[in-house]
Amino acid sequence: MDQLGLREYSWDSVPLRSQSLYTLKSTYAQASVSDLQWLHGLSQFARAGYLQISIVVASFLVVVRYLLHRPYFKVSSPEGNFHAISWPFELSSQLLRASSLAFMIVAAVQGGGRWTDAIALAYAFVVGVLRLAYDLEWRHVALHHTNFVLAGSLLILAVGELLPYIDADHTENAGPMMICSISTLAAAVFVALITRREWIPPSLDLDISDKIPTREPSPEETCSWLEYYVTYEWLTPLMLRGMRRQMTLEELPRLPWYDEPFVLLRRVEEARRKGTSTMWTLLYFLPSEITTMGCWIALSFIFEMIAPYAMYELLRYLSDPEGSRFRPWVWLTLLFIGPLSRSVCFQQYIFTSTRLLVRVRAALTQELYYKAMGSMELNDETFAEVAATDKEKEKNKQATNSTGRLANLMGADVDSIARGRDIVLVCCGVSSGSIVALIGLYKLLGWTALVGIATMLVLSPIPVLIARRMVGIQRDMKRIQDSRISVITEYLASIRAIKYFSWEDAIIKRVSEIRLSEQKKIWALNMLYVSLNQITEAIPNLSLVLIFSLQVLVRKEPLTAEVAFTAITLIRTLRRNLAMASNMSRGFTAAGVSLKRLDRYFNATTPIQSHPVGQLRISNATFRRHQKASFALKDISIDFVEGGLNVVTGQSGSGKTTLLMSILGETLIEGGGKITCPEDIAYASQSPWLQNETIRENIIFNSPFEQARYDRVINACGLPIDLDEFPERDSTEVGENGASLSGGQKSRVALARALYSKASVILLDDVFSALDSKTSALLWEEAFCGDLLKGRTVVLVTQLPWIAPQADLSVTLENGSIKDIRQNIGIVRRSVTLNKTLVDDGNVDETVEAAANHAVESNVTTANGSSNGDFKTAEDKRRDEVTQEALKTGPTARLQFFQYMRLFGNPFYAVLAITMSILSTASFVGTGLWIAVWVDAYGKDDAYDIGYYLGIYAAWSIADVVFSGLTYIAYENGGWYAARSLHTTFIKAVLSVPLSWYKTTPIGRVVNRFSRDMDSIDTQLAGMLRLCLEMLTRLGLQILAVGSVLPIFMLPAAACCAAGIVAGELYTRTAVAVKRLVSSSQSPLFAHFADSLAGLPVIRARANMAQIFGNQLADKLRVFEKASEAQFNCNRWVALKVDMMTTLVTVAAGIIAVSKAGLVAAGLVGFSLTNATTLSQLIIMLVRAGNELEIELQSFHRVREYASVQPEEKSDEYKDVTEYSDNPESESVVPKNWPRTGEVEFRNVTIKYDLDGPEILKDINLKFAAGERVAVVGRTGSGKSTLVLSLLRFTNVVSGQILFDGVDITMFPRRRLREALTIIPQEAVLFNGDVRSNLDPTGKIPTETLEKALQYCSGIASFQFHQNADHVQNGNGQANGINGTHSDEPSSDIGINLSTPVKPKGENFSHGQRQVLSLCRALVRGSKLMLLDEATASMDYETDQGIQEVLRKELEEHGRDRTLVTIAHRLKTIIDYDRVVVMSAGSVLEVGSPKELYDAKGPFYDMMKHSGEFEDLEKILDTKV
């Protein structure tokens, strides 16, 4: 390109020099003559015929090789319309090929053509005719060869015949036959480009092929090549639909077979076997995509240089039209072809990279899922290292729960890795584009360019250092984000317990502390990002000032229009490339951190133990839950009775659940022990795990449906009575974690799932604990005494004393060892005698009623939902779930960003941010305008004061950098404040809603908004708003700038903008609708992931069940992929449309400039063309930024939607109440020292869950005196829990009054009430932290009180267990107690102390120990009224007695002013209580002391009869009397 450098053309003619303009012109003319020799030589070579023959021979040899090697027994005939030939296009192609051949033969005969061209066209015609054979594969091969030869021939003819026309002195003309031949050939190639492709069905492995739901092609598999690579017209129907109405999943394009989740899973598994790390795995997984991306983006950046070159030559032409050897239309054509080629290549890069993004997400999500499904759960210490650096591993970190950790790996980390794909752009595109730009600069400016380039290179390490610092902060931020998502997930999963204890403020405070740490890292990251961006902006500006200074001051060269504006364009290109690399560095650092996190996870997992298949037997085995656990089951040898009932008993913490886990392979086997067991095992866990599906689907659990077997299981589990009360019977959704069912119902549904299975071994972990004695007796008779379990080995963990004597084998565990094994040979199990008439037959638990009522409301227009009614398929349900959430988010207002900017902290701050955007844009445009003034000063012989012009140019450049930096800071700071206030409002809102809100809102959906949506608000939204406003102001100012120089340019610019707005509007409406579907399709993924992780032991126990769940994940991924690909492809559709229009506008600007050659100053023309050539990028960036802004505002809208949900009660609800009738001397509802006693009274109380729902409790009249111990008993679903929940105001009191210490509880805020009460729920909920934070999250209770509570409980069996066994694990997995060394309080002899760590869900404690800690939590509150809801149901008798003893002692010590209300199924627990309330169907059957009710021979007496402990209960009553 030396001939293009201005220094070759003796610019001494300019006034600064003495040479004349004539000298310049003659020198230029001589150079141009020699320049054009290559053009005519190339044309002659194309006409020689060698290329035509080479193309034909190459194609012929490949075809022959194909025909010789193809297997003919696999000849495939076309099937269906997708494989049919499109005859209108086919006939047009044949006709055009024949016409072109005919014209070429005539031209050859006349001497104006060549026979080699005719041979090539004849070959293409023959192969094109032969392709019509009835063989699908051959049709495709022949078509490709035909089109290859046609396209090659057209290119050769164009070079040979048309290329010489660009020479202004060329006078020869091609013959008419040649012109006709070329025209018809071009038409044939164009028809080939627009002809829809025939679809070839994929050749897949049989096991994958069966899993793909359809064999029909997607639109992208059958669209034409022009549509696929250039126009993306196959998306136009989607865009039109999106403009007219709200989009649904069914209307999105079908997923192509090569993006099917199972295909991607197979590929990534093969890649993982080859790769040593996740990064290498991805390189092996996607080699063709990465290579293709590199080629496209390199071409795009190289083609981008065509426009500056064309503008340079056009400006030279305008300076001297007569001296040019090239026709001006050449440069106008290049101004069109260059940007369009760049756009096509760039959009293909984006198309491939977004497809790669979807594939990486789908593949890694499945790989993580299957890894988690096949691995033992990591202990916290190991998992914490996944997110930690080496320094952090030594610190005491915030632990996280497994669901939160894996959800973050699956969500944020997989996304970060996918976003790191643009490293290909930096490595291939930015590097190649920058190299070409640097070469151009050197040719243009000589050694001064080298100085500028050297300056850029010397300063370039500064951004690298900043980027390295960003890596560490990014890693810290990820770790803190893990903690935040984990604790939020943990707290939301236990929202009921938080509301029970009125701990909302304490939880908000804890989350806010973690959030503050996270935001500090985000702010540091933002400031480094701003610094990085401004340095990359300043470096090219400094180089440009330096280059121009050297050019005019040292070299004494004039600053001409073509030199100045071409240099500015090239330097701006370099600046943009550097800025692009620095902007993307944030994504690269995040991707690097996430890759390491995934590697650590994959390397840290331990595969699940696989036992030899055989009869269930354990031989000399020692088990440990994980390598760091100190508790172990030692020397276990059990020969379980095959086909019989094997019962395991023992104190809480003795290792019963660990024994079952060991059978399932969930523990590590140490020593030479051995377990054999069948492959298929059904397991019902102690805390029932249910899917968020219908009751029927939970019971069937992906097994084939057998009506007779199903009915038997339902009856055996006592479920018909419960199902009768559901409007949709067994089609009722159980809700997340079985929220719609009571504890007993959840337990029986989980048991029914195990019974319905055909597994030969059934493991049942304390399934009777949540059941009342009647239901337990019924279940025992139907399930265990009949033939339902005949021939099946059952291992039952239970605390019921009357079951063990009836077992074939009874095992008693103590301190991790076998205490006793008894075998009862020939035992016959007997049922407990039931008085059938006294078994309730018409009531249902309150939560079931609420769910049923909600189901009625939401399904009034659906078909009958009875057990034999119509069911939606899984795919239909999945689509409904996604579409409904998308519709619920509602439309996003276009100007909603004003509401976002109102959160910037101050309205004036928002105005300041917008003002900074305008000033930044004005300084950018002003820099170019001053260059135009400077250049024209040379033309007027005015540029003697170089310092003046150079100084002002430097000032403009500095202003550009400064205002740009201030703009970044303004938006990032405002966005930081907005994110902070939004998150605070959000967490307060979701903790303040009524519990009923969570019945219709899955926790996975809420976590998704805390994770992905908050991440978007933290890192994306403010930047996108800034970009959008900057693009808008820049577009307006640049159009005005061009229009002021060339007023007529306003017409094409206005037309372009109008077309861009129309295309943008069409695109935005569809894109936002599709984005909603994308966001909504993510929630089911999160939910399924969390659901599966919660039930891992249950799922893995069943043969092939893990694979079925993997298939369900694939179904959900298929929906997500489909929506994601549609979203990304919509971007390509609009980008090409806008690029084509704006490229035409650029050409129009060039034509206008050519027409006004000599009339407008060259500097102003250069300024206009520079701005016109960037209009394309500006408009597409504006459309894209506007759409991205609207899409990111979806996250803002979704978070704000949940942040503004209706709270449980309004803050001003009680402010008008000023008196209380029973206490006239008081001025307020609640006396200051309330409550003084625990007296409770129900006066004609009727309770509903929903105001328009059924009555749950009816006309309840009860009075509990202060200091009484009151028991509430009754069948599951009789209303016991509702009675207790009413005292906490989780229900609606529709009539009557509930008085607590003489005050109506509905007359003051719920929080005040709940702070005055204490409940010990059935499921003890412990949170991640230590014992102190679990006993008192508020931090207000003195340490002495907490220690006293622990001391109180030290006598309970499970706590004694810790004291006396130095080898038993405490909270931190180390020994403690008397012989232990790990104790923060050596003076205390309590095994569990205040500093003992507590893992998420209290996983490092046994069930009994968790319940005792729950008791301690109740004791430290010192409430006058204590409520126990089945708190000791799953305890062994000794622990139960210990808890009751502590409660009795507590009541006696406090003057018996505390009232204790206990819901109990185990009558032994409450037989010594003061009073018993027997409930049935929402009403009170009888009230009295246990002795009175025993003597009355009523329902309570009957419950005693079939409790299995009648004699013991009688003795206790006699002793008490």
Side-chain angles (χ1 to χ4, degrees), residues 736-754:
E736 198 157 9
N737 299 321
S740 299
L741 306 182
S742 71
Q745 288 162 339
K746 283 194 285 188
S747 192
R748 283 181 287 140
V749 170
L751 174 62
R753 176 179 61 213

Side-chain angles (χ1 to χ4, degrees), residues 208-517:
I208 294 181
S209 182
D210 291 342
K211 296 175 183 177
I212 294 179
T214 179
R215 302 285 289 189
E216 296 180 2
S218 67
E220 72 174 72
E221 293 178 87
T222 57
C223 67
S224 69
W225 292 115
L226 190 70
E227 289 178 322
Y228 186 82
Y229 284 107
V230 181
T231 65
Y232 301 93
E233 278 300 306
W234 51 278
L235 288 165
T236 300
L238 175 71
M239 309 300 290
L240 295 175
R241 277 198 301 270
M243 183 185 69
R244 290 193 295 264
R245 62 180 185 275
Q246 183 66 263
M247 195 77 64
T248 61
L249 275 172
E250 290 76 12
E251 293 173 313
L252 298 179
R254 192 184 303 278
L255 193 69
W257 69 267
Y258 39 79
D259 285 333
E260 276 290 328
F262 293 113
V263 175
L264 298 176
L265 177 63
R266 175 64 60 85
R267 286 177 57 191
V268 80
E269 286 175 343
E270 292 172 358
R272 177 67 67 179
R273 286 191 284 271
K274 299 176 185 176
T276 55
S277 65
T278 302
M279 187 181 77
W280 280 106
T281 298
L282 292 177
L283 292 175
Y284 284 121
F285 173 47
L286 301 162
S288 59
E289 288 89 338
I290 294 171
T291 306
T292 306
M293 285 166 58
C295 294
W296 282 121
I297 199 60
L299 287 174
S300 171
F301 274 76
I302 291 170
F303 288 159
E304 189 179 26
M305 295 295 105
I306 293 176
Y309 172 63
M311 187 180 72
Y312 169 78
E313 291 290 354
L314 188 60
L315 287 173
R316 273 179 56 184
Y317 169 81
L318 293 174
S319 300
D320 180 22
E322 297 175 2
S324 174
R325 287 296 308 275
F326 290 97
R327 302 180 194 272
W329 58 261
V330 174
W331 313 125
L332 294 175
T333 304
L334 286 179
L335 273 180
F336 177 76
I337 291 175
L340 193 61
S341 302
R342 184 209 70 83
S343 179
V344 168
C345 293
F346 185 71
Q347 296 310 323
Q348 271 300 307
Y349 163 77
I350 298 291
F351 178 77
T352 311
S353 72
T354 51
R355 191 55 53 88
L356 175 141
L357 184 150
V358 172
R359 290 170 184 167
V360 167
R361 279 179 179 167
L364 288 183
T365 298
Q366 289 184 98
E367 196 182 16
L368 273 170
Y369 184 83
Y370 280 98
K371 192 69 170 179
M373 195 65 77
S375 305
M376 297 175 63
E377 185 175 342
L378 293 183
N379 62 304
D380 292 324
E381 290 80 5
T382 305
F383 218 133
E385 293 176 3
V386 169
T389 61
D390 292 335
K391 294 179 182 178
E392 291 160 354
K393 289 176 186 177
E394 301 172 4
K395 299 178 182 177
N396 183 21
K397 299 175 295 298
Q398 166 71 44
T400 53
N401 64 57
S402 59
T403 303
R405 306 157 181 147
L406 279 166
N408 214 29
L409 283 176
M410 183 197 83
D413 286 298
V414 170
D415 278 357
S416 294
I417 291 169
R419 284 199 294 263
R421 70 194 183 282
D422 281 328
I423 195 168
V424 176
L425 183 147
V426 173
C427 293
C428 299
V430 169
S431 57
S432 58
S434 299
I435 289 169
V436 174
L438 291 172
I439 293 171
L441 270 175
Y442 178 73
K443 297 294 184 184
L444 191 70
L445 297 166
W447 64 266
T448 56
L450 293 178
V451 174
I453 293 166
T455 304
M456 294 173 70
L457 291 175
V458 168
L459 297 176
S460 59
I462 299 176
V464 174
L465 294 174
I466 295 175
R468 289 178 64 181
R469 174 66 182 138
M470 289 171 68
V471 175
I473 296 178
Q474 182 85 29
R475 189 187 298 114
D476 292 345
M477 191 191 79
K478 278 286 180 190
R479 180 175 55 81
I480 300 170
Q481 188 184 54
D482 268 359
S483 297
R484 177 174 62 85
I485 298 303
S486 293
V487 298
I488 288 173
T489 305
E490 185 181 14
Y491 290 143
L492 291 182
S494 307
I495 185 67
R496 185 178 290 269
I498 290 171
K499 286 193 167 291
Y500 281 163
F501 294 103
S502 190
W503 280 341
E504 291 93 339
D505 288 344
I507 299 308
I508 290 169
K509 181 181 177 184
R510 185 176 181 196
V511 172
S512 298
E513 287 172 354
I514 300 174
R515 173 66 176 167
L516 181 61
S517 301

Side-chain angles (χ1 to χ4, degrees), residues 665-847:
E666 302 280 346
T667 61
L668 298 174
I669 303 179
E670 297 180 350
K674 182 181 178 183
I675 293 184
T676 57
C677 65
E679 187 179 3
D680 192 13
I681 299 176
Y683 171 57
S685 55
Q686 188 171 22
S687 299
W689 170 76
L690 299 179
Q691 294 175 269
N692 191 3
E693 303 285 355
T694 64
I695 294 174
R696 173 186 283 204
E697 287 169 333
N698 269 285
I699 294 173
I700 295 173
F701 202 48
N702 303 308
S703 300
F705 180 70
E706 300 174 20
Q707 186 71 54
R709 181 182 183 83
Y710 179 76
D711 291 340
R712 278 191 69 194
V713 169
I714 289 287
N715 291 325
C717 295
L719 286 170
I721 296 173
D722 304 290
L723 295 181
D724 286 340
E725 300 298 332
F726 289 101
E728 294 193 343
R729 292 184 56 75
D730 58 357
S731 300
T732 301
E733 296 275 350
V734 302
E736 198 157 9
N737 299 321
S740 299
L741 306 182
S742 71
Q745 288 162 339
K746 283 194 285 188
S747 192
R748 283 181 287 140
V749 170
L751 174 62
R753 176 179 61 213
L755 296 181
Y756 183 82
S757 73
K758 294 188 177 179
S760 58
V761 171
I762 299 178
L763 308 183
L764 306 175
D765 194 350
D766 215 359
V767 292
F768 290 100
S769 63
L771 307 182
D772 61 88
S773 53
K774 287 184 180 180
T775 309
S776 297
L778 181 69
L779 186 64
W780 174 258
E781 179 184 12
E782 296 289 339
F784 291 87
C785 297
D787 60 353
L788 189 62
L789 294 172
K790 187 176 181 180
R792 305 171 79 181
T793 305
V794 180
V795 181
L796 171 67
V797 170
T798 185
Q799 302 292 357
L800 296 181
W802 50 270
I803 290 183
Q806 299 192 57
D808 296 291
L809 182 72
S810 175
V811 179
T812 304
L813 295 179
E814 185 177 87
N815 294 357
S817 301
I818 295 177
K819 179 182 179 182
D820 182 41
I821 294 184
R822 292 184 182 178
Q823 194 161 359
N824 303 318
I825 301 173
I827 191 74
V828 177
R829 284 180 281 283
R830 65 186 188 281
S831 60
V832 178
T833 306
L834 286 177
N835 183 349
K836 299 287 185 182
T837 60
L838 289 173
V839 177
D840 297 333
D841 58 357
N843 51 73
V844 69
D845 186 72
E846 67 291 343
T847 46

Side-chain angles (χ1 to χ4, degrees), residues 842-910:
N843 51 73
V844 69
D845 186 72
E846 67 291 343
T847 46
V848 178
E849 288 277 12
N853 180 62
H854 174 73
V856 170
E857 291 175 355
S858 58
N859 293 287
V860 288
T861 59
T862 62
N864 186 355
S866 61
S867 60
N868 56 1
D870 297 327
F871 286 92
K872 291 182 177 180
T873 65
E875 185 71 19
D876 290 338
K877 288 179 63 180
R878 199 157 36 253
R879 287 170 177 163
D880 285 350
E881 182 181 1
V882 173
T883 304
Q884 283 305 312
E885 188 188 348
L887 294 175
K888 280 175 69 175
T889 58
T892 305
R894 183 64 54 85
L895 298 178
Q896 200 178 59
F897 74 88
F898 282 124
Q899 296 172 341
Y900 171 65
M901 293 187 79
R902 286 173 60 188
L903 298 174
F904 274 19
N906 191 308
F908 297 108
Y909 193 92

